[in-house]
Amino acid sequence: NAGVTQTPKFQVLKTGQSMTLQCAQDMNHEYMSWYRQDPGMGLRLIHYSVGAGITDQGEVPNGYNVSRSTTEDFPLRLLSAAPSQTSVYFCASSTDWNTEAFFGQGTRLTVV
Amino acid sequence: GESVGLHLPTLSVQEGDNSIINCAYSNSASDYFIWYKQESGKGPQFIIDIRSNMDKRQGQRVTVLLNKTVKHLSLQIAATQPGDSAVYFCAENTGNQFYFGTGTSLTVIP
């Protein structure tokens, strides 16, 4: 049972480039979410999904897009990377919005 | 936005002692709370949770206390071990979102 898998683990982007952070879970969880983690600020919610075809914004959604075409996958897209998006990104999944979340190992993104 | 804070950013304890990590939350409507542990280079890992209709919940070597009157949450770790060294986060659930604290770094001294 792989749990939540994020790829890539590390990425360096130039300002203005686009990329997609991948997230997949094999636990048949309906709820998936993306967080960013910055020093001294804890985890902040970017976007979340309560099921396939349904997404919504979290606390810091600007500059990011998501889609949820399947239960398993929840990719996060950066359309035009900015240095302010340098962070560690975590994907999480849970059976419901008010249950424990299982986190991936994270993607460390640097935008130069 | 929500505000979830921790009283102490760092905590050092001797191996074998008990550890107490505190957390203050701001939204009295929050009804579900989780403590996570994060080791260096890894994602957060669930430790224990508690719902607002409870004051205390115990797990293996860990206890979470919830004081809704003062909006305070604490995590107690019994007989702290070197493997407990990590950053600990509390998270509160309001609506359909979780809000995380900034974390407390626990260091266990052998």
Side-chain angles (χ1 to χ4, degrees):
Chain A
N1 191 338
V4 179
T5 302
Q6 289 184 237
T7 56
K9 286 186 171 53
F10 301 94
Q11 183 70 50
V12 179
L13 288 178
K14 293 182 179 179
T15 297
Q17 285 185 316
S18 62
M19 80 159 295
T20 299
L21 307 185
Q22 301 292 344
C23 176
Q25 52 94 6
D26 61 0
M27 297 173 283
N28 201 32
H29 285 167
E30 289 295 325
Y31 190 95
M32 296 186 73
S33 51
W34 276 101
Y35 293 87
R36 60 178 289 172
Q37 185 173 35
D38 301 298
M41 301 192 72
L43 288 151
R44 292 183 292 168
L45 182 64
I46 303 171
H47 285 284
Y48 65 95
S49 169
V50 298
I54 306 170
T55 63
D56 207 344
Q57 296 180 348
E59 188 180 355
V60 289
N62 293 339
Y64 308 94
N65 284 341
V66 292
S67 60
R68 185 92 180 272
S69 57
T70 66
T71 299
E72 295 77 19
D73 300 299
F74 190 44
L76 178 72
R77 298 184 185 86
L78 285 72
L79 297 180
S80 180
S84 61
Q85 294 178 304
T86 294
S87 188
V88 180
Y89 292 85
F90 288 99
C91 178
S93 75
S94 56
T95 55
D96 204 342
W97 57 267
N98 63 346
T99 57
E100 66 173 284
F102 295 82
F103 284 83
Q105 293 295 296
T107 296
R108 183 174 293 275
L109 176 68
T110 301
V111 182
V112 297
Chain B
E2 298 296 315
S3 173
V4 180
L6 291 164
H7 294 312
L8 295 171
T10 61
L11 178 65
S12 295
V13 298
Q14 293 286 338
E15 181 178 357
D17 286 352
N18 296 333
S19 303
I20 299 177
I21 301 172
N22 297 303
C23 176
Y25 64 95
S26 61
N27 192 335
S28 57
S30 295
D31 57 3
Y32 180 53
F33 305 86
I34 297 180
W35 279 102
Y36 286 96
K37 172 186 180 182
Q38 186 177 27
E39 296 174 276
S40 181
K42 297 184 178 180
Q45 180 182 10
F46 172 88
I47 301 173
I48 192 168
D49 59 359
I50 188 168
R51 298 198 182 271
S52 58
N53 60 351
M54 302 174 68
D55 297 323
K56 178 180 179 179
R57 190 156 191 239
Q58 288 183 296
Q60 186 175 11
R61 285 201 306 119
V62 294
T63 300
V64 55
L65 299 177
L66 176 62
N67 186 329
K68 294 180 287 293
T69 302
V70 296
K71 292 184 285 188
H72 183 267
L73 195 69
S74 69
L75 175 70
Q76 300 178 1
I77 305 173
T80 312
Q81 302 169 359
D84 295 326
S85 292
V87 176
Y88 290 81
F89 295 94
C90 64
E92 64 174 308
N93 187 283
T94 304
N96 55 5
Q97 297 187 24
F98 274 100
Y99 297 88
F100 284 77
T102 54
T104 291
S105 177
L106 174 65
T107 300
V108 181
I109 303 167

